[in-house]
Amino acid sequence: MIENELIYVEKYCEYRLRYEGIEFCWDEKPSGDYLDTVKVLAQNYHKNIDKIAAFMVEDIREMYDESITIDDVKERIGVPKIEPEQGTVTYCEQTFDYTHIFCFEFWDDEFEDLNYFAIDG
């Protein structure tokens, strides 16, 4: 996927845009100031990656290994997929086991209010 190019992915019936190493997705073609939203979310995601990893680490330790660190989480979660309209972040390429999908909800553009971390698969 080309960075900063909005494309329609027919296989998933969604629009995608990769920006600063993050994949952004929408069910409907985004309009208006979606690029401004993408830029704010990307900046705040990267700024708060330690907090995001700390939010997930206890559940990941419980499932995989008690010795996993926040740095391990940051290194192994893979490319985040952010759905701005849904307020979700999903990791489909995590390397803890290659079969589960990690996801959580964020309730603000600052990634200060994180909720409902899940390991699905």
Side-chain angles (χ1 to χ4, degrees):
M1 178 179 292
I2 299 171
E3 191 90 3
N4 300 333
E5 180 183 352
L6 182 67
I7 61 168
Y8 182 72
V9 181
E10 193 168 327
K11 179 179 179 180
Y12 299 110
C13 299
E14 66 185 12
Y15 289 87
R16 291 187 179 184
L17 173 97
R18 187 172 283 231
Y19 181 79
E20 292 188 1
I22 301 171
E23 204 167 275
F24 292 87
C25 304
W26 298 265
D27 291 334
E28 302 290 326
K29 187 173 184 176
S31 61
D33 61 352
Y34 75 93
L35 278 176
D36 292 337
T37 300
V38 164
K39 290 175 183 177
V40 167
L41 288 173
Q43 178 183 356
N44 289 334
Y45 178 87
H46 290 301
K47 182 173 80 175
N48 289 297
I49 189 61
D50 288 336
K51 179 181 180 178
I52 293 166
F55 171 70
M56 298 187 287
V57 73
E58 290 304 320
D59 290 321
I60 292 172
R61 283 177 181 156
E62 186 176 307
M63 179 123 179
Y64 298 102
D65 184 351
E66 289 296 320
S67 67
I68 292 171
T69 66
I70 290 173
D71 287 334
D72 293 331
V73 172
K74 292 187 319 186
E75 182 179 309
R76 297 178 67 185
I77 53 178
V79 175
K81 174 184 169 186
I82 296 179
E83 296 180 71
E85 294 175 323
Q86 305 297 325
T88 60
V89 177
T90 306
Y91 303 94
C92 299
E93 302 172 357
Q94 60 82 16
T95 60
F96 289 97
D97 68 7
Y98 301 100
T99 59
H100 289 88
I101 295 171
F102 298 173
C103 61
F104 68 87
E105 293 181 10
F106 61 96
W107 291 358
D108 62 358
D109 291 348
E110 300 290 324
F111 291 94
E112 293 291 327
D113 195 359
L114 309 177
N115 297 280
Y116 306 117
F117 177 67
I119 300 174
D120 297 322

